[in-house]
Amino acid sequence: MKKRTRHRTVSPGRVRVVAIGGGTGLSLLLRGLKHYVARRRQDSGGPPISDLAAIVTVTDDGGSSGRLRREHRVLPPGDIRNCMVALSQDEALLGRLFQYRFHEGRGLRGHSFGNLFLTALTHVTGDFAKAIRVGGEVLAIRGRIFPTTLENVSLEAVMTDGKIVSGETLIAKSGKKIRRLSLCPRRVRPLPEVLEAIRQANLILIGPGSLYTSILPNLLVSGVAEAIEKSSATCVYVANLMTQPGETEGFSLADHLRVIYGHTRRKLIDWVVASNQPISPEVARRYSRRGAEPVLVDLQEVQRLGVRCLLDNLLEEHGVVRHNSARLSQLLIEEFVERRPPTH
């Protein structure tokens, strides 16, 4: 395993940011970051992000995305749709339209308008990546969105009891601990724009999101982890607030990093950002009944892995536990763009 021996400090001024993940975690992060993105890259002054690129996993096989994937042979659009809405300048109307879910109607029930829009546009253009670009123009998004790959890829997990489970949905529902995750097929070509965005980045953000079904599927695509390792960007892992039943029961923060390092065989992370605010007892009990608990921030173990840790109150509770999108993005900008973090 090769260790990252350098750490680039991001100079004050305009920067290029890459955010990697999937699910609700990535869209939450993007929703906050879009307010720091300049309208035109050539503008001087103003917002500090000149380019924001979201790199999104495409292994979902459940719900509306899974149905469209099986019936129309397209890549799953759900996570892409959520990121498009998050980066939209008009979440009030167009965003609500793309998130609108049909509750009745044969063949329509359960589908969101945005998923159907992307599926139809993929067939019209013959290109999923082009469909995303056109959809982004419709929503006037602040940033760019790329699927990690355009290949039809799924997940396969070897559990600690030796059983092999195929498919993201079944893996999450298996109730067993995962020993090893892999892509099927094993070697999957990345979208060239993904590697180029990573190469040009000043700041790379990984997470928050499901470790095995949102984070690792991106990093296991051929060339992606290598590109991050070779990049001169500062790489920041945004820690999850809670463990996830079916994936990370009992995992500490350092355990999450060890899984990433073990699967990629590379030490990719320079910094971890984590919340230091305890959740309320009532909400904790509710999550505990589902087998989830707050992720233990084991600072000494994280530091032993050669990773620096930044703690802040990033918690937001409204019956469920989420990162405070505005505070998280503000912290990332303040600490990794406007200030110069100390070198290793």
Side-chain angles (χ1 to χ4, degrees), residues 177-236:
K177 287 198 171 185
I178 300 170
R179 178 188 298 163
R180 189 79 188 173
L181 186 80
S182 59
L183 300 180
C184 187
R186 295 295 176 92
R187 292 195 62 80
V188 178
R189 289 171 298 176
L191 192 70
E193 290 89 342
V194 166
L195 300 186
E196 181 63 16
I198 293 172
R199 187 188 69 80
Q200 294 182 354
N202 303 106
L203 178 63
I204 297 172
L205 306 172
I206 299 177
S210 302
L211 177 62
Y212 286 100
T213 53
S214 290
I215 304 302
L216 283 178
N218 289 301
L219 301 179
L220 292 178
V221 172
S222 300
V224 171
E226 294 92 326
I228 295 172
E229 183 181 55
K230 292 177 181 177
S231 169
S232 59
T234 300
C235 186
V236 180

Side-chain angles (χ1 to χ4, degrees), residues 53-92:
I55 297 174
V56 190
T57 183
V58 286
T59 57
D60 189 7
D61 60 3
S64 170
S65 287
R67 286 168 56 195
L68 293 170
R69 183 177 184 175
R70 291 186 296 271
E71 295 170 9
H72 295 274
R73 298 188 176 184
V74 296
L75 289 176
D79 285 353
I80 299 285
R81 181 200 79 238
N82 285 332
C83 290
M84 290 171 64
V85 172
L87 288 175
S88 170
Q89 293 187 49
D90 184 12
E91 286 191 64

Side-chain angles (χ1 to χ4, degrees), residues 221-336:
V221 172
S222 300
V224 171
E226 294 92 326
I228 295 172
E229 183 181 55
K230 292 177 181 177
S231 169
S232 59
T234 300
C235 186
V236 180
Y237 177 69
V238 182
N240 292 337
L241 298 169
M242 307 293 293
T243 61
Q244 186 168 353
E247 290 197 32
T248 56
E249 293 99 330
F251 273 38
S252 69
L253 177 50
D255 289 332
H256 284 73
L257 297 178
R258 291 189 188 101
V259 168
I260 292 174
Y261 289 179
H263 278 76
T264 62
R265 298 184 179 180
R266 289 172 170 79
K267 291 190 174 181
L268 305 176
I269 313 299
D270 297 309
W271 286 79
V272 163
V273 169
S275 181
N276 59 3
Q277 177 71 15
I279 68 173
S280 66
E282 179 185 351
V283 173
R285 285 192 295 270
R286 189 182 312 136
Y287 272 85
S288 180
R289 288 194 291 268
R290 296 184 233 157
E293 60 187 6
V295 173
L296 173 66
V297 180
D298 47 349
L299 277 176
Q300 289 188 338
E301 290 300 313
V302 169
Q303 291 167 352
R304 284 194 184 100
L305 293 171
V307 179
R308 294 174 181 263
C309 195
L310 179 63
L311 302 178
D312 207 319
N313 177 10
L314 303 175
L315 178 67
E316 188 172 274
E317 282 189 26
H318 296 292
V320 295
V321 172
R322 293 283 185 269
H323 285 86
N324 183 313
S325 177
R327 178 57 192 146
L328 173 60
S329 55
Q330 180 185 1
L331 180 69
L332 292 169
I333 294 298
E334 287 177 351
E335 297 296 331
F336 299 104

Side-chain angles (χ1 to χ4, degrees), residues 7-227:
H7 172 83
R8 174 175 178 166
T9 57
V10 181
S11 301
R14 307 294 292 283
V15 299
R16 304 175 71 93
V17 178
V18 166
I20 301 174
T24 57
L26 179 58
S27 56
L28 179 145
L29 176 64
L30 297 176
R31 184 167 286 111
L33 287 177
K34 74 178 176 185
H35 299 290
Y36 297 91
V37 178
R39 291 181 182 273
R40 293 183 295 273
R41 295 182 198 174
Q42 65 268 29
D43 287 350
S44 59
I49 299 177
S50 62
D51 181 58
L52 174 59
I55 297 174
V56 190
T57 183
V58 286
T59 57
D60 189 7
D61 60 3
S64 170
S65 287
R67 286 168 56 195
L68 293 170
R69 183 177 184 175
R70 291 186 296 271
E71 295 170 9
H72 295 274
R73 298 188 176 184
V74 296
L75 289 176
D79 285 353
I80 299 285
R81 181 200 79 238
N82 285 332
C83 290
M84 290 171 64
V85 172
L87 288 175
S88 170
Q89 293 187 49
D90 184 12
E91 286 191 64
L93 180 57
L94 285 177
R96 283 174 56 199
L97 174 63
F98 267 60
Q99 295 293 51
Y100 176 79
R101 195 170 297 274
F102 295 91
H103 298 291
E104 57 186 4
R106 188 174 181 180
L108 280 178
R109 186 174 181 179
H111 283 307
S112 71
F113 173 81
N115 284 1
L116 296 175
F117 177 87
L118 285 172
T119 299
L121 200 52
T122 298
H123 286 300
V124 169
T125 63
D127 185 341
F128 187 61
K130 186 174 182 179
I132 295 170
R133 288 197 299 273
V134 173
E137 292 171 5
V138 171
L139 288 174
I141 65 172
R142 292 278 189 92
R144 300 181 294 159
I145 300 172
F146 302 116
T148 324
T149 179
L150 291 179
E151 295 187 32
N152 184 16
V153 61
S154 59
L155 297 181
E156 184 178 274
V158 178
M159 304 303 183
T160 52
D161 62 0
K163 184 178 180 180
I164 298 176
V165 180
S166 299
E168 179 178 311
T169 302
L170 292 179
I171 290 170
K173 292 181 177 178
S174 70
K176 301 176 182 291
K177 287 198 171 185
I178 300 170
R179 178 188 298 163
R180 189 79 188 173
L181 186 80
S182 59
L183 300 180
C184 187
R186 295 295 176 92
R187 292 195 62 80
V188 178
R189 289 171 298 176
L191 192 70
E193 290 89 342
V194 166
L195 300 186
E196 181 63 16
I198 293 172
R199 187 188 69 80
Q200 294 182 354
N202 303 106
L203 178 63
I204 297 172
L205 306 172
I206 299 177
S210 302
L211 177 62
Y212 286 100
T213 53
S214 290
I215 304 302
L216 283 178
N218 289 301
L219 301 179
L220 292 178
V221 172
S222 300
V224 171
E226 294 92 326

